[in-house]
Every structure is written in structure tokens, then in C-alpha cells.
Amino acid sequence: MSLAAGLPRWLLIPAALGAAIVLVPIAGLLGRVPWARLPELLTTEASLDALALSVGTAGVSTILCLLLGVPLALVLARSEFRGLALLRAVVLLPLVLPPVVGGLALLAAFGRNGLLGETLELAGIRLAFTSVAVVLAQVFVSLPFLVLSLEGALRLGHRRYEQVAASLGASPSVTLRRVTLPLVLPAVGAAAVLAFARALGEFGATLTFAGSYQGTTRTLPLEIYLQREVDPDAAIALSLLLVVVAVVGVLLTTARRAPR
Amino acid sequence: MRIRSLAVAGLALLAVAGCSASPTPAPSSSAAALEGTLTVAAAASLQNAFTELGDLFEGANPEVTVEFAFAGSSALVAQLQEGAPGDVFASADAANMEKASELLSGDPELFAGNTLTIVTPPGNPSGIESFADLADARLVVCAAQVPCGTATAAEADAAGVTLSPVSEEQSVTDVLGRVTSGEADAGLVYATDAEAAGDAVERIDFDTTVVNEYPIAALNDSEVAAAFIAFVLSDEGRSVLASYGFKAP
């Protein structure tokens, strides 16, 4: 046990303020939770539909993020070419874009009158107003989180192990499977949890691109926003649910890191 | 638009005065000149009409600055309850005015009405002609939790049509956006929204049974607030509202 060992004491003041900025609003939210009505509010058909849809779509999005994001992070971490910095900046763009802009971009690409929309329409595929659109919006916003955190881990200097493996005759695929991936496995897990949490909280892009219909596209954040119109208590109860899921997710991630 | 609004204003004045044809700003009734800043919290659907009303009111009362907070009515009530500044509240429905009743300093008065209308993308791709056609259309409506959704459900009941929308949006502007972007083949929006969208949509009117009525009330007993409400309720105020598609209450 030690508090800020080796650091100047004054540092504690801004640090405490920083923590307070996050903790005070959460405490305020907890103070408004209608505990007595909680079971009733969380088990309405609309709430359960929203929860199931959120967990389901965020789960699928996380798998897609892993399948696409791990290769992308590897390529970004192990390449050197002109324009790499630009490519990375573009891929990470959704991190800094307002999600509603992401939604507009997705509409411009996959909407009926979008870049690929006409082709999709000819193929009989309509994305807007379906759960697939929800997943697409979630992957769009959470993929950069996974790529960014994983690329950092990949750059930590495991190159030598890979070079040794190669010198011992391992093919690139074998090196990837037996050396590179096992080394970054904890980071992959942490990145996946981060992506899942981000997908779970996705709001703006989903609302803009996918629409809002119970059981199909109305995820928990959309349900919270809608319930706020008529029953603020219900919105707070559902918010608590999201906070709990997010906290569990973050704890799972940090627990993995603690032993190091 | 401009010509229509002048025509409406002219007609209103003719009906009242029977002579003069040029609209004049309403003189403030109190003898002392009004001054200060007036903050009006108004429903999002009032944005265009109230902005013009605010300009006219400022023109008639040069010492007054009118500031607006436009948002969904329920969001405005929540903000006012949390202490947001406001002198006048104009709601898109009675329910939200009722929620704000503890904050009001006078009784609410109805100043405008709005009805629903069908909008389709230009060219009406799925050939909607009546309310009944909406049953099979790729339709977007307001969610039942917001005023336009309540009106939608009532119209569907009255018409005996079961709607199966692909999306239930949070606000009427979101519904309009789905239609103007071509994602939906039809939407149910307020007449005022269809009016504001102009050529971006095709409008199909039907026999409405529900008129959504807009109440306005003062949040304190300031003279400026009372004068603004009187102006909104005046013939000139009514004609401005009419030019944006609002009906008389």
C-alpha cells in the first residue's frame, strides 16, 4: 500500500479532480435509481428485447472486430511504407468522429441511394432498418478501439522472437500462430472487451443508420433515450444496467493486466 | 412561400379590419417601452415560425432581445425543471405543458394546431395514394412515446389501418430524414414539417381526425413574456404561424 509513491504530493489534487469528474456523475445517476421499481422496469418486454438485441449484436460485432481487426493491427504494426501514417489515421477516424457522422457515412455507403446501396438492392439485400445495420454501425465505431490497443501491444518488441522462429525454419503462418499471437493474447482479450463495451454503448451511428424498432434495431442506448421521453425512472434503470455491464467488462480487462 | 404568407396575412387582416391590406407589427400594448432579454423555450417544430415571430417582436420592441431554446417538448420540460433559464414555454402538446405546470406563472393558452400528413420521396416510388396504402409500405413513423407518435396511433385507429413501420423514430425530423434520404417509401409527419421540406418530399393529405394543439405559457410574471405571448396569439402572430403550415387552434 502506497499512495503516489515517489510523486510530488500536489499531483494528488488534479488527480483527485480528474477522478471526481467521472465519479460524481455516476454517483448522481446511482442516487436517482428507482431501486424499488427496478425489477419491474428492467423486465418489461421492451427492456428485455433491447437487452437481448444489445448483447447479441455487440457479441457478433466483437467477433467481426476480432476477425478483421487483428489482421489489420498486424499489418499496421508490421508494415513500413509511405502513406502508412495516413492509412492509420483514416482507419482510426471513427475514434474521433461524432458517431452521428459515422451513421451518415454508413448511410452514404450502404443506404438505398448510397455508394453500394444500389448494388446491394439489386442483389436483394437491404441493410437499413435491420439488425445487420446495427452490427455494421457497431463494427464501424468499435473496430478502431481494438486495432489501436492491439497495435500498441504488437509494437512492444516481440520482433526478435519472430525472427528467431523464422530463422529456425518456421513459415510466416506458423510464426504468427505459434509465436506472435500467443504473445499478444492478453492484449487481444483486453482489446475485445473494449470493443464489446464500445459496441454495447453505440448510439449515434445506430440511430442515424439503422433506425429504431423494438427487437430489430432498438438497442439499450436507443431504448434509454426513448424512455426518457415518458418515464425518466425507466431510463435511469436501464442506464444502471449499462453501467453494470460496462464496469464488469472493464474489471475483467484490468484483472487480466494486474499480474504483470 | 413569401407570396403565400403575404396573402394569408392580407386575408387575415381583411377579415379583421376589412380595410388595410399591409401587415404592420403589433404595437406593444403597455405604455412604457419593453426592454431586456426574453428567453423562449419552444418545441422544435416551432423553430422556423418562432424565429420569424421573434424577429418581428424585436422589430416592434427595439430594446428587447429574444433568445430561443428549441428542442423536443419533453427535453425542454426536463431542462426547465433542472433550472434552465426561460421566460416563456411553448409546447407541442398539452401533456408536456401539464408536466411543466409547477413552473408556470399563468394559464397555458392554445395558439396553434398541427395535423399529420403523409410524405413520400419525390416521385412517390411505391405509389401511395391513401392512408390505407401505408399498411404495406416501407413506412417510418414516430415512436408512441413522443407526441407525433401518439397522433399517428390515433389516426391509424380512426382509419382502421394496422401500420407495420420499419422504424419508429424519436422525433418527427428523424422521420422526415428517412423519407428525404429515400430510405423509407413513406412517413407520417406534421403538415408543418412537410411544408418546410418543400420539394424534397411529396405530400399526400388524408382526412385527419387528430389535431395536435400547441399551448404557450409564461414561466414568470415579466411584462415582456406577457407581451410576447400576446403577440403570438395576435392576428399577426396567427398569420405568421399559418404561413408555416400551422392551423388555428
Side-chain angles (χ1 to χ4, degrees):
Chain A
M1 280 294 280
S2 74
L3 189 61
L7 292 173
R9 313 272 312 162
W10 57 261
L11 210 64
L12 286 172
I13 296 167
L17 281 176
I21 281 186
V22 178
L23 291 177
V24 171
I26 299 293
L29 188 72
L30 292 178
R32 284 197 178 180
V33 172
W35 299 103
R37 289 181 64 204
L38 204 56
E40 163 215 345
L41 291 175
L42 293 182
T43 52
T44 64
E45 205 192 318
S47 303
L48 292 176
D49 277 357
L51 178 65
L53 180 68
S54 269
V55 173
T57 51
V60 173
S61 299
T62 308
I63 293 169
L64 285 174
C65 278
L66 283 170
L67 290 175
L68 306 172
V70 173
L72 185 55
L74 281 162
V75 169
L76 286 175
R78 294 287 186 267
S79 305
E80 272 176 43
F81 59 87
R82 285 156 68 94
L84 178 66
L86 185 69
L87 176 67
R88 179 183 295 116
V90 171
V91 169
L92 299 184
L93 203 55
L95 273 180
V96 290
L97 274 184
V100 58
V101 176
L104 289 175
L106 286 166
L107 261 183
F110 303 107
R112 222 184 203 178
N113 303 322
L115 219 49
L116 306 173
E118 218 157 296
T119 319
L120 289 172
E121 188 99 344
L122 283 177
I125 302 169
R126 280 182 177 177
L127 291 178
F129 309 126
T130 66
S131 303
V132 180
V134 176
V135 169
L136 207 53
Q138 289 173 347
V139 171
F140 181 84
V141 296
S142 46
L143 189 64
F145 280 83
L146 183 126
V147 171
L148 189 72
S149 62
L150 199 55
E151 200 198 340
L154 283 165
R155 283 181 177 276
L156 281 178
H158 301 130
R159 284 306 292 270
R160 277 188 306 148
Y161 299 111
E162 292 166 10
Q163 281 155 0
V164 169
S167 74
L168 293 173
S171 70
S173 290
V174 170
T175 309
L176 178 68
R177 202 175 69 239
R178 311 269 308 259
V179 179
T180 314
L181 286 181
L183 278 170
V184 293
L185 203 57
V188 172
V193 171
L194 201 60
F196 180 79
R198 180 65 190 88
L200 202 62
E202 213 312 295
F203 173 71
T206 310
L207 188 70
T208 316
F209 176 51
S212 174
Y213 197 76
Q214 186 177 332
T216 312
T217 48
R218 191 174 294 151
T219 54
L220 263 184
L222 271 67
E223 178 70 22
I224 291 173
Y225 192 53
L226 188 60
Q227 283 304 329
R228 209 179 129 253
E229 293 280 344
V230 279
D231 187 356
D233 275 359
I236 300 268
L238 291 167
S239 305
L240 177 72
L241 192 61
L242 264 189
V243 169
V244 169
V245 175
V247 166
V248 169
V250 173
L251 283 180
L252 280 178
T253 325
T254 45
R256 270 177 189 283
R257 276 186 185 156
R260 272 191 281 161
Chain B
M1 187 78 151
R2 192 66 241 166
I3 291 169
R4 238 196 86 185
S5 90
L6 277 178
V8 172
L11 276 177
L13 281 166
L14 280 174
V16 173
C19 50
S20 162
S22 73
T24 48
S28 54
S29 49
S30 57
L34 297 170
E35 55 180 27
T37 301
L38 177 77
T39 305
V40 179
S45 47
L46 294 167
Q47 180 150 6
N48 294 335
F50 264 41
T51 303
E52 185 174 336
L53 286 174
D55 289 345
L56 291 171
F57 189 74
E58 283 178 342
N61 303 279
E63 301 298 309
V64 174
T65 309
V66 183
E67 283 177 357
F68 288 106
F70 293 111
S73 300
S74 63
L76 287 173
V77 174
Q79 286 165 14
L80 292 169
Q81 282 170 341
E82 300 284 346
D87 303 304
V88 171
F89 175 42
S91 167
D93 68 343
N96 279 298
M97 188 55 93
E98 181 66 26
K99 278 200 270 173
S101 57
E102 282 170 28
L103 304 165
L104 307 182
S105 102
D107 286 334
E109 289 191 74
L110 298 176
F111 67 95
N114 217 342
T115 52
L116 290 178
T117 187
I118 301 166
V119 286
T120 74
N124 192 357
S126 55
I128 310 276
E129 284 171 8
S130 66
F131 195 88
D133 290 347
L134 296 179
D136 312 313
R138 198 171 149 87
L139 171 74
V140 174
V141 298
C142 288
Q145 286 85 343
V146 292
C148 58
T150 317
T152 300
E155 294 291 3
D157 267 357
V161 175
T162 308
L163 302 176
S164 44
V166 291
S167 187
E168 295 168 348
E169 303 291 329
Q170 185 95 9
S171 77
V172 74
T173 29
D174 289 340
V175 175
L176 194 65
R178 299 286 183 207
V179 176
T180 52
S181 70
E183 291 304 319
D185 286 341
L188 278 167
V189 301
Y190 286 128
T192 50
D193 299 289
E195 183 83 23
D199 291 340
V201 294
E202 267 180 40
R203 175 174 170 172
I204 298 141
D205 285 331
F206 60 95
D207 289 332
T208 55
T209 52
V210 186
V211 179
N212 202 47
E213 290 183 314
Y214 287 60
I216 190 167
L219 296 165
N220 54 46
D221 52 10
S222 88
E223 265 184 72
V224 187
F228 183 78
I229 291 172
F231 176 59
V232 170
L233 293 166
S234 72
D235 290 335
E236 191 192 359
R238 291 257 162 89
S239 69
V240 169
L241 286 160
S243 72
Y244 286 96
F246 286 99
K247 295 181 161 48

